[in-house]
Amino acid sequence: MLRRIKSEPAGPGERAEPADRPGPADRPGPADRPGLVESVAGWSARNRTAAIAAWLLLVVVAVMSSSLFPGEQVRSTDPGEAGRGQRMISAQNAGDSIRENVMIRAREGEAPATRRAATRDLVAALRAVPHAAKDVGSPLGADGGRWVSDDGTADLVTFEIAGPDAEFAAHKRTAFDAVQKVVRQHPEARIDQAGDSSLSSAVDDGIKDDMKRAETTSLPLTVVILLVVFGSLVAAGIPLLLSATAVAAAFGLLDTLGRWVPFNSAASAIVLLIGMAVGIDYSLFYLRRIREERAAGRSVQEALRIASRTSGHAVVVSGLTVMVCMTGLLFTGVDVFKGLTLGTVLVVGLAVLGSVTALPALVAALGDRVDLGRIPWLGRRRTAAGRSRIWTAVAGKVVRRPLLTGGLAALLLAAMALPALGLHLQDATQIQSLPRGVSAAADAGARMQRVFPGVTTPARVVVSDNGPEARAAAEALHEQAARSDGALREPITTVPVGDMLVVRVPLAGAGTDPESMRALEFLRERAVPATVGAVKGAEVAVAGRTAMPYDFTRQVNARTPLVFAFVLVLAFVLLVVAFRSLALPLVSIALNLLSIGAAYGVLVAVFQGGRLESLLDFNAYGGVVSWLPLFMFIILFGLSMDYHIFILSRIRERWTGSPGGPDSTREAIVGGIAASAGVVTSAAAIMVGVFSVFTTLSSIEYKMLGTGMAVAILIDATVVRGVLLPAALALLGDRAWTLPGRRGRSVDRREPDGHAIDRHAYAPSTTRA
């Protein structure tokens, strides 16, 4: 039993009690028994060597686990008809149709004949390596008109990279070298190459570069923020150590579980930065509360006990909320979300585990040495109460005029959210994903798309028959293209893949814009049923770079209401259980929706319609990627609970210990906001800083994600938690903390984890145990 350091003054009619004698509030009872989080943290602090060793062993085993389970990573499958076509080809075990395109034009001032001379040499060079390049299409054949641009200034040459898979890489190099040889032989011609393999390699290389940039940029930025927050090298190093080990363990487990759950490289940067952000935030919550209690004069063990009961509980609840909210993505039924969900759940779960086990052990082992390596002028200790002067003043003004201040803040966020009413979902093609100048293949593809629309991102009609009837039906697609008013373009090519046919049909538009979607619908609903779809016994599916986002968006949109309902109900139930209130969950959900809506509005205002195109020099793109709003909603709803539960817990501590009445309720709000402002501001700064790294990456999808997440977290930690939340609590008064039909404070004199409030544990003290 902890010894009370300094008793509170005796009130009127009360008998003063000696400070060193346990009073009624100190006597053990069922409500004072430590909860699970406090018990785990207490065991870790008492058995620090075992706890630290167990954590490191877990990390090592997780990192090395992939070597215990050999095998290939499972690949994700697209939803809808596009996914069906993909599965049909995969079932053949005969590789795939990998086609490259080369566009030849005469440079400015050169004779048009130079174009055709370069075309002849290129066709000859490719046909000279038939083992590497096959099915060469060019304007030199009988149907040469299909391979010439509408204005007659450009030729198109296409070829298949030959298999089998074991020799694909060597054949690719041979074919690409043949193209580059012709490029060097004809400097008077402009020769651009872009196709399945070259564009995929460009995107993959961009992702790898993004990962390296994210790692090298986020780490120094995070170190600087942590040094400013803690002012010492050791204290700043603890959150970095725990988050880095949690991320390493998560990626090790992902590498192992990838044998059964698809996890693509595009999700790696997201999991990395989310893991670093939440890992540091959770450690920050703990450390700031421990340092605050130490500054108030408590021993290391007392500080750890109080921090685990308050901040530790908030960390666990917040982490569980993020993990369970992320499972909402599984309701979409989209394969690619499985790996993203698994990665996020693993990294957040490990971050929570480390913060309640390894962190208390490290703090207990270090003691006062946690402040070693102090940096002058940084991280000066706050007062024992940890109050922020700025947020004390802001919260004080808000609670005095809650309707006016809260109403103005709500109107501001509503105005920011207005552009979201015009939200247009549109996925980026491989060409649009990268800015100009980053990839030669992407730039070549953009130029090719303007001259030969749809060639770089054609629809792929998969036919489960390659007999004469199926081939004749595929040839009939040329006639359908001629009668499509430009929806279907030439050249249409047909190649066998195993026992199947793959027919490439270029579509009008940019690949994922409304014009391309209408062309896809024409192909699926009219052209295919009239041709290959009429072949008896043949199964047909239309896949490709346009069909995949079309089917993906339709399925996600159809399942979005279910995902939203799951997350909202989950958040409501969680807050009801944690705070035993109905008003508080409803207000919390409304505030979260406001901040997320404002972030949506910023995304639309900045990115949609190409407003940022001239600044970032991106290839033509207008819209917001289809998966982003849903992903942002889920992850932000979970992450916002970090600040929300932490702040509400601090306010509740003061409210349960106050005598009642409007004045004491307002004081509890101001005190809770002021006491939690420091850690919330620090955590938000790290979150905003880490997610801002996304805006420096090359991919337009990452830039959108970084902008949306950083804006939403900034709004959440300032306008929502600093103004709207105290305004709402002031208007609700005591009703915010009680269930309907329950009056009085005696039934609610507990923390959210079910422990009775120890008022002496939170009272400032001037002596240290």
Side-chain angles (χ1 to χ4, degrees), residues 51 55 59 113 188 238 260 287 309 322 454 531 569 585-586 657-658 666:
W55 173 254
V59 173
E188 73 283 356
I238 291 176
W260 300 277
L287 282 175
R309 178 175 288 190
V322 174
T531 55
V569 170
L586 294 174
S658 65
R666 295 192 185 103

Side-chain angles (χ1 to χ4, degrees), residues 557-626:
N557 288 345
R559 303 285 182 88
T560 292
L562 179 62
V563 177
F564 274 44
F566 171 78
V567 173
L568 293 176
V569 170
L570 173 72
F572 179 80
V573 171
L574 175 71
L575 289 174
V576 169
V577 172
F579 293 100
R580 291 178 296 284
S581 165
L582 289 182
L584 201 59
L586 294 174
V587 169
S588 302
I589 288 173
L591 296 184
N592 280 349
L593 291 177
L594 265 178
S595 62
I596 293 172
Y600 286 172
V602 171
L603 272 181
V604 172
V606 172
F607 289 95
Q608 190 165 300
R611 293 179 178 88
L612 203 64
E613 181 183 338
S614 59
L615 178 62
L616 297 180
D617 206 27
F618 269 86
N619 295 311
Y621 181 74
V624 175
V625 290
S626 60

Side-chain angles (χ1 to χ4, degrees), residues 393-436:
V394 171
K397 292 181 180 179
V398 169
V399 298
R400 283 194 296 270
R401 308 185 72 178
L403 191 60
L404 175 62
T405 54
L408 289 175
L411 285 175
L412 171 64
L413 295 188
M416 293 177 65
L418 280 178
L421 296 176
L423 177 67
H424 169 62
L425 299 180
Q426 178 179 327
D427 286 290
T429 63
Q430 292 171 310
I431 297 170
Q432 296 164 333
S433 180
L434 299 172
R436 287 190 288 264

Side-chain angles (χ1 to χ4, degrees), residues 445-507:
R447 292 189 290 269
M448 196 178 297
Q449 182 71 19
R450 290 191 290 269
V451 180
F452 293 97
V455 165
T456 56
T457 56
R460 290 157 56 93
V461 182
V462 183
V463 187
S464 64
D465 185 356
N466 64 357
E469 184 181 358
R471 289 177 177 271
E475 286 298 314
L477 283 169
H478 294 290
E479 183 180 351
Q480 289 290 327
R483 296 188 299 182
S484 68
D485 293 329
L488 309 184
R489 311 298 294 256
E490 293 283 2
I492 296 174
T493 59
T494 303
V495 295
V497 175
D499 297 329
M500 295 184 175
L501 289 180
V502 174
V503 186
R504 290 172 174 266
V505 183
L507 304 177

Side-chain angles (χ1 to χ4, degrees), residues 480 483-484 487-488 518-527:
Q480 289 290 327
R483 296 188 299 182
S484 68
L488 309 184
R518 288 192 294 270
L520 176 67
E521 291 172 352
F522 178 89
L523 176 64
R524 282 179 167 177
E525 297 169 8
R526 296 179 57 183

